[in-house]
Amino acid sequence: MEAQAPFSREEINSTVWEVPEKYTRLKQIGTGAYGSVCSSINEKTKEKVAIKKLHRPFQSEIFAKRAYRELRLLKHMKHENVMMISLSIFIPFPFSLCLFVPSYLVMPYMFTDLSKVRGCLSEDRVQFLVYQMLCGLRVTPFLSQDLKPGNLAVNQDCELKILDFGLARSTDAEMTGYVVTRWYRAPEVILNWMHYTQTVDIWSVGCIMAEMINGKTLFKGKDYMDQLSQIMKVTGVPGSEFIKKLDSPEARSYIKSLPRFPRKDFSSLFPTASAQAIDVLEKMLVLDGDVRPTAELALEHPYFDSLRDPEDTREPEPYDDSHDNDTLSLDEWKRLCFKEVKSFVPFPRRDSKRKNTLTMSQ
């Protein structure tokens, strides 16, 4: 936790911010139900950072549990391609349990997100960005189910971080809510047809990769049924082996009633992509989640041979989820949050071995 220092106080969009004086030029860049995010300059290091203020973390047991889980996950995600509290935590009060509010999290600032990057991207950029998505997913101990361009922060040098836990930047009016989530959501999740695993996120990566190559959303369904119809016009309608896996009788009947769409030729869908890029897409965009590769297996594809670094794909650390299903009192959740803040140690940044000369503006 950051040592106590002189604090300054200012109001930004009707929210009072109390931050150490070294953080200047605060500007709101995002807001949500659980917090607001401002960009700022650390005058001591001259580094631009993002500061998140948690909204009323101890308003109720539900809010407190979420604050605790966010602190736990952000501290756990020690990887360059996942947004984490790598810099600091601070509170504008004397550091004691009775006054404790875990108000502010300091994280690296990211220039924009993929939802604001328009048009087709060159293949070397697509390759590098998809590689980083997979590296980030490799170390996450949970299913995202919400991976979309607006939750992928990028810098001018093509550095990417997966945003989650309510930390996504604000996006354009069109790119919000369930509509955009549906466009990138795996078919097995859309109607809860069957059990699903972390390959639901691989489907999302495939959709995002396809969009970066062609410059437009691959499956832009008007509703859930239209979304599924658009998906199957590309993947083909599945056969009896897949239908047997479906838990829902209604889902089985629905699939059987569909016209027999054949699987489309991906080389015609993505005429500018290389053979290896098309092979990656074909493996990710498979209707049956059991057949899709995990992030670990996807990273072994030859498409990523020029980028692969053992440090990027290291084994994820075990995540302690012992309190995730607990029903505790407000004071107990507060005590757990206090413990997390006290034990916080900044994440040491390593010198990346990636030989990256790419920029988003080239």
Side-chain angles (χ1 to χ4, degrees), residues 180-192:
V180 66
T181 297
R182 181 173 65 239
W183 296 341
Y184 305 94
R185 184 158 282 183
E188 63 266 31
V189 179
I190 291 175
L191 290 181
N192 198 24

Side-chain angles (χ1 to χ4, degrees), residues 24 27 34 57 67 77 125-126 139 165 216 238 261 272 294 330:
T24 64
K27 179 182 178 182
Y34 294 98
M77 297 288 99
R125 288 171 186 74
V126 172
V139 299
F165 330 114
K216 59 183 180 181
F261 299 125
T272 63
T294 61
L330 188 58

Side-chain angles (χ1 to χ4, degrees), residues 2 4 6 15 38 87 138 142 144 146 180 186 196 200 202 222 245 247 287 297 342 351 358:
E2 191 160 321
Q4 292 297 310
T15 298
C38 277
L87 303 178
R138 170 85 172 82
F142 51 89
S144 170
D146 195 30
V180 66
Y196 43 88
V200 300
I202 299 302
K222 298 174 184 176
K245 296 181 180 182
D247 296 331
L287 203 64
L297 286 175
K342 278 183 66 178
D351 293 329
L358 299 174

Side-chain angles (χ1 to χ4, degrees), residues 237-355:
V237 174
S240 58
E241 289 302 312
F242 176 81
I243 292 173
K244 288 177 185 176
K245 296 181 180 182
L246 301 178
D247 296 331
S248 163
E250 292 82 6
R252 289 195 292 269
S253 297
Y254 171 72
I255 295 291
K256 289 177 181 178
S257 70
L258 291 173
R260 297 291 95 187
F261 299 125
R263 185 173 177 83
K264 282 195 175 178
D265 177 9
F266 275 42
S267 61
S268 63
L269 282 176
F270 307 99
T272 63
S274 68
Q276 285 192 346
I278 288 170
D279 191 57
V280 170
L281 277 171
E282 287 180 330
K283 288 178 167 59
M284 290 180 175
L285 295 175
V286 174
L287 203 64
D288 188 345
D290 292 340
V291 179
R292 279 179 233 134
T294 61
E296 181 179 8
L297 286 175
L299 284 165
E300 294 176 4
H301 194 281
Y303 185 59
F304 304 111
D305 282 353
S306 63
L307 297 171
R308 199 175 299 109
D309 177 350
E311 277 297 304
D312 293 334
T313 56
R314 60 190 180 272
E315 282 293 317
E317 296 179 10
Y319 173 67
D320 177 12
D321 61 355
S322 56
H323 293 292
D324 277 12
N325 297 316
D326 286 354
T327 303
L328 304 177
S329 69
L330 188 58
D331 284 343
E332 288 170 322
W333 284 121
K334 188 174 182 179
R335 196 177 304 276
L336 287 173
C337 288
F338 183 74
K339 181 180 177 182
E340 290 301 316
V341 172
K342 278 183 66 178
S343 64
F344 170 73
V345 177
F347 175 56
R349 298 185 184 183
R350 70 177 179 87
D351 293 329
S352 177
K353 298 176 184 177
R354 298 170 182 163
K355 296 179 180 179

